[in-house]
Amino acid sequence: MAGLAESGSNPDVDLLYDINGLAKDAPHWFDRIMEFVGEYGLLLGMVLLVLWCWWTVRRRGDDSAASSVAALVWAPLAAGIAVLVNVPIRGFVERPRPFVDHQGLDVLVTGKTDYSFVSDHATLTMAMGVALFVANRRFGLLGIGLALLEGFCRVYMGVHYPTDVVGGFALGTAVALLLSPLAMALLTPVMKAVERSPRAGLLIRARGTTPTGHDALIPGSRTERSEERDLAA
């Protein structure tokens, strides 16, 4: 991987220069915005999206509220596990940051001394986006969109190759999907126990809500739509 990056005649490096070249032509203030968005803003946006989805589930308060919250709890856990899995991957590949081997890049963030493959930011955001998609399609699509934007920002900032980002997307997706059944099997009973608590239960179901009898995790989820099709039949 590192050897491939040293050559300037491969699509990975060419795409790096094409995307990072946009930073050279952009106004200084726009680069500063991209720096904040790519380093902190999109991660914060992903957290807020999960909280928004949780608030929707809590206000709905149907029979599947505990399962819904369990699915949402899995989103940040999946992101954390994916980043831990990335630690040995980075140490094994040992790919330098693109600005180490390539001149003329406009690097918007300084102080990056660790290895490049795979991108932690891309891994984090995609793991959360895919885990959110498992719970709810509409919120999940927004989350995946934020993850894709995060990947673009990391290349734009000159701190990752495009393949670093693609690798992060693949890792985050794999962890979120492959471990989801086990995570739900463990988290759902815990959330049901919390739901039975007079005070902590408010984290699962808003005060005054009553079960609606729907089986869907969250309004608009795939389960709900499947049920509508069954009734129509």
Side-chain angles (χ1 to χ4, degrees):
M1 184 70 73
L4 177 64
E6 291 172 1
S7 171
S9 59
N10 67 78
D12 194 22
V13 176
D14 291 342
L15 188 57
L16 165 68
Y17 275 106
D18 288 341
I19 296 177
N20 181 253
L22 299 175
K24 294 184 178 182
D25 299 329
H28 178 74
W29 60 266
F30 184 80
D31 283 349
R32 298 286 73 79
I33 291 176
M34 290 293 285
E35 176 187 346
F36 174 79
V37 170
E39 194 74 6
Y40 308 107
L42 289 171
L43 292 175
L44 176 61
M46 190 69 73
V47 172
L48 293 177
L49 185 62
V50 172
L51 290 176
W52 181 16
C53 192
W54 164 76
W55 187 258
T56 302
V57 171
R58 181 178 175 274
R59 291 186 63 184
R60 178 182 171 96
D62 62 8
D63 288 336
S64 61
S67 298
S68 302
V69 175
L72 295 175
V73 170
W74 169 235
L77 290 178
I81 293 173
V83 170
L84 290 177
V85 173
N86 188 28
V87 172
I89 294 176
R90 278 194 167 192
F92 176 76
V93 177
E94 295 186 346
R95 186 186 203 184
R97 294 280 181 170
F99 51 79
V100 174
D101 294 323
H102 302 284
Q103 303 298 318
L105 294 174
D106 190 5
V107 183
L108 303 186
V109 179
T110 59
K112 298 290 184 180
T113 58
D114 55 344
Y115 294 120
S116 185
F117 187 89
V118 297
S119 168
D120 278 340
H121 282 73
T123 301
L124 276 167
T125 51
M126 187 56 76
M128 292 185 70
V130 171
L132 190 56
F133 183 81
V134 171
N136 178 267
R137 182 169 294 179
R138 286 176 294 182
F139 281 96
L141 287 175
L142 287 174
I144 292 173
L146 290 180
L148 294 174
L149 181 57
E150 178 69 75
F152 175 83
C153 287
R154 302 308 288 177
V155 181
Y156 181 96
M157 295 160 61
V159 294
H160 281 292
Y161 294 96
T163 48
D164 298 336
V165 170
V166 173
F169 289 164
L171 176 59
T173 299
V175 170
L177 291 181
L178 295 178
L179 298 183
S180 178
L182 175 61
M184 291 300 297
L186 296 175
L187 291 173
T188 299
V190 175
M191 294 302 107
K192 288 183 177 180
V194 172
E195 186 180 21
R196 291 192 292 268
S197 171
R199 294 185 179 180
L202 295 176
L203 295 172
I204 310 297
R205 193 193 306 274
R207 192 183 302 276
T209 58
T210 55
T212 62
H214 293 295
D215 293 330
L217 290 180
I218 304 171
S221 68
R222 287 169 294 177
T223 307
E224 181 183 52
R225 294 180 182 182
S226 298
E227 179 181 311
E228 290 174 355
R229 288 196 296 268
D230 292 340
L231 291 176

